[in-house]
Amino acid sequence: MKDSHELEKKLSDMLTEGEPDYGDREKREREQVSPKYEIRIQTEFDPILEETLKFRSMAKEVDDRYDAYMEKASRSSSENLLEKNTNSEKKE
């Protein structure tokens, strides 16, 4: 019992004495400001599409929540391939 009372008193003292130390104020303010620029990287393959295809090859999905995305992604990837092929043919 004595230990719990000592711990309670210590905790009470820590919570009530002085101003809390939150660290460097300027650093906290800089971290809260949103960045001006956003970096986007265009990839050749869609990682979500690739991963979903891998999972579908291993097991059947219970629901069809990715079907619309898969259709949209496969259409855009086939359009990109067609566009690349026509651009390469024009260069030759």
Side-chain angles (χ1 to χ4, degrees):
M1 280 291 209
K2 185 178 177 186
D3 291 333
S4 64
H5 288 293
E6 287 177 26
L7 287 174
E8 256 184 69
K9 183 170 177 11
K10 253 187 190 177
L11 180 61
S12 175
D13 290 343
M14 286 177 14
L15 292 172
T16 56
E17 71 181 34
E19 286 291 314
D21 182 27
Y22 294 117
D24 187 17
R25 180 178 166 211
E26 286 183 27
K27 184 179 177 184
R28 280 185 294 124
E29 289 172 353
R30 271 187 264 125
E31 289 173 353
Q32 290 176 353
V33 173
S34 63
K36 287 183 182 180
Y37 305 102
E38 184 175 302
I39 297 173
R40 292 181 182 228
I41 300 170
Q42 186 170 356
T43 61
E44 201 168 311
F45 298 104
D46 182 1
I48 297 170
L49 179 67
E50 297 295 320
E51 189 173 321
T52 305
L53 288 172
K54 237 180 221 181
F55 281 122
R56 285 185 173 186
S57 71
M58 292 185 275
K60 185 180 180 200
E61 285 181 290
V62 177
D63 56 4
D64 300 326
R65 62 182 148 167
Y66 290 107
D67 282 345
Y69 179 82
M70 296 292 285
E71 288 175 21
K72 181 181 170 188
S74 63
R75 266 186 288 162
S76 68
S77 66
S78 62
E79 289 171 2
N80 288 341
L81 285 173
L82 181 63
E83 185 179 314
K84 283 182 183 179
N85 289 339
T86 55
N87 287 340
S88 64
E89 289 173 1
K90 287 179 183 178
K91 289 179 183 177
E92 294 175 355

